[in-house]
Amino acid sequence: MKRTQIYGMMAEFDTPDSIVHAARLTHEAGYRRIDAYSPFPIEALAEAIDFHPTDVPLVVLVGGIIGGLSGFFLQYWIHVINYPINVGGRPLNSWPAFIVVTFEMTILFAGIFAVLGMLALNGLPMPYHPVFNVPRFAFASKDRFFLIIFSSDPKYEPAETRRFLEGLNPRSIAEVPS
Amino acid sequence: MDDRAQELINKQAPVIEPGYTFGTVTDKISSIVLTRPTSNGWFVGFGIAFLITMGLLYSVGYLFVRGVGIWGVNIPVGWGFAIVNFVWWIGIGHAGTLISAILLLLRQSWRNSINRFAEAMTLFAVACAGMFPVLHLGRPWLAYWLFPYPNTMKVWPQFRSPLVWDVFAVSTYATISLLFWFIGLIPDLATLRDRSENRAAQIVYGMLAMGWRGSARHWARYEMAYLLLAGLATPLVLSVHTVVSFDFAIGIVPGWHTTIFPPYFVAGAIYSGFAMVLMLAIPIRKFYGLEDFITDRHLNNSAKVMLATGLIVAYGYGIEAFMGWYSGNRYDAFLLWNRLHGPYAFFYYLLLLCNIGIPQVLWIKKLRTSPGWLFLISGIILMGMWLERFIIVVVSLHRDFLTSSWGMYYPTRWDWMTYIGTIGFFLACMFLFLRVLPMISIFEMRTLLPEAEVKAE
Amino acid sequence: MDRQNGKSRREEVCPGKKDKLDLATARACIAQTKGPEYWRSLEELAGSAEFHEMMHREFPKGASEWLDSVSRRGFLKLMGASMALAGMTACTKQPLEPIVPYVRQPEEVIPGRPLFFATAFTLSGYASPVLVESHLYRPTKIEGNAQHPASLGGTDIFAQASILGLYDPDRSQTITYLGDVRTWGDFLNAIRGPLNVQKGLQGAGIRILTHTVSSPTLADQLNSILKLYPQAKWHVYEPVNRDNVYAGAQMAFGQPVETIYKLDGADVIVSLDADFLSAGFPGQTRYARDFAKQRDPDSGKMSRLYVVESTPSATGAKADHRLAMRAVDIEGFARDLARFSGIETEVAGARNQAGKFLLAAGKDLQNRRGSSVVIAGDHQPPAVHALAHAINQALGNVGRTVFYTDPVLSNADNQTGSLKELVGDMREGKVDLLFIIGGNPAYDAPADFGFADALKNTKIPLRVHLGLYQNETAELCHWHVNEAHYLEAWGDTRAYDGTASIVQPLIAPLYNGKSAHELLSLLAGQAEATGYEIVQGYWKTQHSGGDFDSFWRKSLHDGWIEGTALQPKQIALKNLAVGPQAAATQGIEINFRRDPSIYDGRFANNGWLQELPKPMSKMTWDNPVLISPAMAQRMGLQNKDVVELELNGKKVEAAVWIQAGHPDNSITVFLGYGRRRAGRAGTGAGFDMYQIRPSATPWFTNGVNIRKTGGTYPLASTQGYQSIETPNGAERPLVQAATLEEYHREPNFAKEEEPPEGLTLYPGYDYKKEPYAWGMAIDLNACVGCNNCIVACQSENNIAIVGKEQVSLGRHMHWLRVDTYYQGDRDNPKAHFQPVPCMHCENAPCELVCPVGATVHSTEGLNDMVYNRCVGTRYCSNNCPYKVRRFNFLLFQDWDTPQYKMMRNPDVSVRSRGVMEKCTYCVQRISEHRIDSERENRKIEDGELQTACQQSCPANAIIFGNINDPNSQVSKLKAKQRNYGLLAELNTRPRTTYLAEIRNPNPELES
């Protein structure tokens, strides 16, 4: 059998507290290429691994602007440029009547950008991921919390890292084959 | 309010009964979908709903063959049941997004246990609503002409028409609600993926979960997106019924042409929406034994929301009547007279009873927490809100400016069949949803557990 | 099993079938079914077990009775009847003989360009001169003949609708003998023998029953026949006749004369139950024009109209003073009026209840000696006519507003008497050979004559019927010859003033029908003579000097013959033989009237007329009994209640309609409904009032018994609510009306609600820069509510009829409607007419809300409806404050029947299911004239372009034109102070505006 490459080393914890604590220590210990997994959002955890995303709001803003502008100018182009005709004695550019659609288009685009943007930035969808190779990782979506140090981390050294993780007294430790 | 007060409330009327852990919550909810055998009750219920849906199919088929003439619509009453039902369903469709979005922004954590199926309910209600504008067309096969698409005819929709606004508002609302609902589902889908023994289920849920693994980075972005989406959905949900009310307010028909419509339509929508939520929540929590998750606190709060919105609606009626008298406009004055003494007066009084009279009993706390009573009152409110739309559409149209054109509107059996059919369709969808997806957001329930708190500084 | 299905299915097609089926019922089934069902029912019939049974029996049930002995072939013929017409649309041909086009149009046919031909439509002997629009020799539209004194461009509803009569698929299409198809040749052979026999007997056994005749040629033919057979007799009968008129003249002058009124010279008009403004009254078209001319408050010429009437009518609605009075009492009124005018008459019997009214009217008449007129209604007894003549004489109106001529009708005998004599002869077996030329006596003869019975049971060896339909009479005759429609055959006729017109055909007979001329020439022994030869032959004899061809050509071209108008006679009034009035009998009075829409029943199968709302009740498809509100209350009757009327032991059931302004203790029933064999539209509609009509008092009599049966019957009225006072006691300014002095005091009274120009946030569209801005002005003062515009619009714009049920649902399709509003006291209300076409609002609410831009504004200010773009949201209709939009809720147009394809106006698209439609200001006509004018490099001149409604209006009440041209007629009208926009306060800025109605009441009566 071919020897499997190591993707990283994973430690399992069973309370939010312990994982947050562990993550913080790991980060202080200088590990940078790390990640943590939890069955529900824990703000402290992201801070612990020093992750502060600002990209999503930006994407949404862009989406909103695109939607709004296209919304209004679609109507303007149709009624003033492409197909100008007298409707009920109203002027061609009856902008007050165009507000509603403009608004709806803004929301629509912003919303779609928010969702797709978030997924894209998270690199989803991704049906396969090495962490799934760890049998116990199935509990990450139930009641267990995991901390992983990727083998790509400069400080990563199998024996040393394992010893460090044991120091955080986790429930279990597993090597993650890639 | 500050956290201590909040804690107190949580102790007296908990959002989730004590004694649950991450594991038990997860198991209890996911088991409904994964392990528990499907009850006969479910089959019977779904069967009936499905049959009624077939009735809808039949009446719609006949409609397409013969034309809208099979309905009671005529000149002057060009709009009948179809539009009444459209507005009614859209209104119901407001509760879901409202609960999920607005209550989220208001940090009303109690919403976590009812938002999931409220959102599902929204989607299905919007689907029902969406049918009618198409069905009521004289030439339904040309409905796509309401969308701006490049075409050889070189003609476009007429964007000054509230009906086009409707198209955009409703389709936007449907899309955003769907996204919101789906986003909320992803982590739970992951849970189902990992819990299910069945290979097929694993694949399906796995695909839908898109490889979600609960990474802290993902959660961070996820929370951000979810919050923003909520922020976007909030003005949207308010705008949708405002736009629907424009269908009438933009018109010059006495009884339509009034500025009070947007706010009181929105209030009415939430009113009926919560009524529908309760009508679903009460039996569901009974049959699936979820009293611990959907507690009296939820019933109580929902009832309060209904009470509040109900009063806003009442205010709307009041203003309408007042303006009819105060404006001195002969047509508005007659409209008021016609509502009170005209051929449809009975329904107006019935409406006042259902929407204003009876719901006042909700001031009594005992009733607000008694499932039986709430179920009944919610039913009455739903009927009342349907009557409101009937009054607005039919009674305003049947006697407008020229007395020579006055007429009457009598629904035909096809009107009824179509209306009841959509209710069947709605329920059928609900049954399927309960069976294949977690009706309560599991990961959000986990956050409600005491053990979810991070004490470390 | 299968049998069951077949049966049940068929039973819903024609209810009340027993499992035995004979051909009469089979035919009835087919007759009942309409439209597409027509085919289906045939198949079901063919599939049904009874049908086979019937086919297999050697002699179908009732073969002994000749009316049922229709052979298999006969039945197949029935089945094939209208299918045979498929493709007929392709092969229309011009009549063989030269017919002369009207010169306003190019001589030669240009495809797509209509030709116009002058001809005349005849109703009960009186002609409506018309121009017929012809597309590639397919007549499609009737217009008035503007050159003709009796029309001046106007028409009446019957003439307008006759185009539908031509293409009626239910018209008789073959010659039949005992129901079997036969040829003209067969017919000739069949009657040659009997005729020879009669030669020997001097025609003692020949009887000819015609409808009212004014055709010089026909009269000439008949007279020559009577010469040939001295013993033969010519009888004339129509249920709606002028016996009383001629008898009255007889009484006054000792000779029957025609009375002609000159209303444009009349300042005071007193109508004694004369509905002279409604279609069917001889000369109505002209009278309406003259009457309107005389009621223009702005020119100071304002006549005053007093109407005493026994049932509410359009004339009564236009009256300045109207008195509802039972018909029996009107003679008393006439006598008092006569005495007031200084005529000695014995007054007995009922004293009038008029009092003040009579005084005022009498005084007014005195003050207007020579410029006043008293008109008596056709159905009033001779005495009233005689008195009217006397009064007019006494007031010196004769020669000024009243003229006397010889009768227009060729035979002024008493028609009821004539028919009575015939029935007598029939019963005595004196009749061997009976020709019924037109008419339908088996249906419309007075009940007590039992004509149908006489026809069936007295063994007349040979009975021949010539008619447009296989009607109740044809059913009882051996031979039926299918008659040619007047648009298919040559003939001639006379207008109310005697002016003769040649009737030239527009199209070769669709079903090889024969005209009365051709049939009669057969009796005269010239079997081969064509209508053309006969008519031309007659006029050759009349024409003295000059070259005949140019005379003939000119007469055809103009539509009338120079110098044929009857000359006014100077005749002295002999001392009045008006005896003492018979003491009025007691009890409730019943009035028999011709139906406002379908006349005496001859138009029962004409959908346009059936669906035409009656002027006062807005009723369609039915003839309910009219009773006064007070009476209804007394008898506890509601609208739609069924009552049983009993008169002299004869009974009929009918539904009730409460008619505001109907005299109390009196009811009105209308003739012409309850047809048994009219066709798919007419059969079974309404109630047959001939069943109780007595011959002695055919128009009104006392002593009818009314019994409430407890049942109800659906009635379809097109107007939801007939008052401008809403139930909450408020009044709406829909019809602006004022009296003459109010108008002088406050000329702008109608404008009170108009918002100032530019009262909008939006900058308006500038129509001034356009060459044309179309607009319409409707003079409510001129409109006499004759409904003519509705039919004209329907004909011009291919508007579908929808049937009674759909009408009752509120889905009638008329683009133009005439609203009738009542105001004030229900027992004697004021009534107003208001024609309502599309207003073509400059700020059109309908356009704003259309999501697909299917209704948009043209640069010339038209509110255009783009059928192809319409998806049918009906939002536009909801948002139209005038509710002038009409929607095709179902497939209302008949796309199958080939005849209708020929009839339709090729310039107007035929709408299908699911689209909105509405008045377009006849945009097809606008385009036509625009194209012409641009080709000739000029602007469209004022007046050259007329909408269909405008063109047909006898009263000139509708004026259409370019409002950008300050000198156009419409601009001038809109400039008048009494011009106002309907619901103007909504700032829709309608292009159609109204001239307020001005009444000229007598101050003495006002106080």
Side-chain angles (χ1 to χ4, degrees), chain B residues 63-80 82 136-143 145-147 149 151 153 155-164 246-253 256 330-331 333-335 337 397 399-408 410 412, chain C residues 718-728 730-734 752-753 806 809-812 817 819-821 834 836 845 847-853 856 866-875 877-883 885-891 913-916 982-983 985-986 988:
Chain B
L63 174 74
F64 286 173
V65 174
R66 288 296 312 284
V68 284
I70 66 171
W71 291 348
V73 286
N74 56 39
I75 310 288
V77 187
W79 286 353
H136 100 294
L137 293 179
R139 306 200 288 174
W141 53 91
L142 298 179
W145 282 1
L146 272 77
F147 291 91
Y149 68 100
N151 58 70
M153 294 180 287
V155 284
W156 299 92
Q158 205 275 101
F159 282 97
R160 297 172 191 85
S161 166
L163 288 187
V164 177
F246 284 162
D247 289 347
F248 307 104
I250 296 291
I252 63 175
V253 181
W256 285 11
R330 63 167 71 84
Y331 303 108
F334 176 74
L335 176 82
W337 183 93
L397 281 175
R399 287 182 170 181
D400 70 341
F401 296 95
L402 299 192
T403 54
S404 63
S405 319
W406 286 5
M408 288 292 286
Y410 304 102
T412 66
Chain C
T718 58
Q719 191 166 341
Y721 191 79
Q722 283 205 304
S723 168
I724 55 179
E725 290 136 0
T726 50
N728 63 336
E731 185 169 299
R732 295 186 175 182
L734 307 180
E752 63 204 21
E753 310 232 348
Q806 293 295 317
L809 288 171
R811 295 173 179 175
H812 52 281
R817 65 175 193 267
D819 289 340
T820 304
Y821 291 112
Q834 183 172 44
V836 186
E847 293 174 7
L848 185 68
V849 297
C850 176
V852 290
V856 291
V866 190
Y867 306 127
N868 288 351
R869 180 64 175 170
C870 179
V871 297
T873 65
R874 304 186 293 290
Y875 199 174
S877 169
N878 290 346
N879 213 35
C880 172
Y882 311 97
K883 290 287 174 286
R885 293 179 154 265
R886 297 285 173 247
F887 187 69
N888 292 275
F889 286 92
L890 298 166
L891 185 59
R913 164 192 141 192
V915 301
M916 191 60 74
L982 187 55
L983 299 176
E985 72 263 35
L986 299 176
T988 51

Side-chain angles (χ1 to χ4, degrees), chain B residues 301-319:
Chain B
N301 287 357
S302 311
K304 284 178 185 164
V305 175
M306 291 201 302
L307 195 54
T309 49
L311 290 174
I312 301 177
V313 170
Y315 173 77
Y317 299 162
I319 286 294

